Amino acid sequence: MHRALRYAVSLLVGLLVTTSVAEFAATDHLLTISLLPLYVTVSSMMIAHRQRFISLSREAAPARKRGAIVGGVSAFTGGFLLQNSIPAGAAGFGLMFLGMAVTVADFDDL
């Protein structure tokens, strides 16, 4: 994907997430604003390494088991964060996705 198109899509994703959270949450304005760069970065990295993300779901059983464990723990923790605050939950999921995207990008560059 062309770099300018990737950044445009990433900016759109970041704006959509930020405005959606701002629509439902009346508090934590600084946390809500911080979601924009978080999700722009995450979506940009995921688009840049999309082939590797797709191939992760087709790998051997240990990789799928790790994915299931991370998904379960993330859903459990994210659910509690969302009960506390919608911006905090969105930030928690964004940070999880950022960690995944950085790890995939590191291994993809090897």
Side-chain angles (χ1 to χ4, degrees):
M1 179 179 283
H2 194 272
R3 184 175 291 179
L5 182 60
R6 181 178 84 203
Y7 292 144
V9 169
S10 299
L11 186 59
L12 179 66
V13 169
L15 285 172
L16 285 173
V17 169
T18 304
T19 55
S20 299
V21 169
E23 187 70 29
F24 293 111
T27 59
D28 299 328
H29 296 297
L30 290 176
L31 183 58
T32 303
I33 292 169
S34 73
L35 294 176
L36 178 66
L38 175 64
Y39 276 92
V40 168
T41 304
V42 167
S43 57
S44 176
M45 292 181 75
M46 287 180 143
I47 291 170
H49 300 280
R50 67 187 177 280
Q51 292 300 104
R52 185 64 180 147
F53 273 100
I54 292 168
S55 70
L56 285 174
S57 64
R58 298 183 184 130
E59 289 192 5
R64 288 194 306 261
K65 188 184 295 183
R66 280 191 305 270
I69 291 169
V70 168
V73 170
S74 300
F76 180 72
T77 304
F80 282 118
L81 283 172
L82 282 171
Q83 286 179 356
N84 185 31
S85 165
I86 292 173
F93 280 116
L95 291 171
M96 177 198 64
F97 293 142
L98 181 63
M100 288 171 35
V102 169
T103 302
V104 169
D106 281 346
F107 281 107
D108 199 27
D109 289 339
L110 291 178

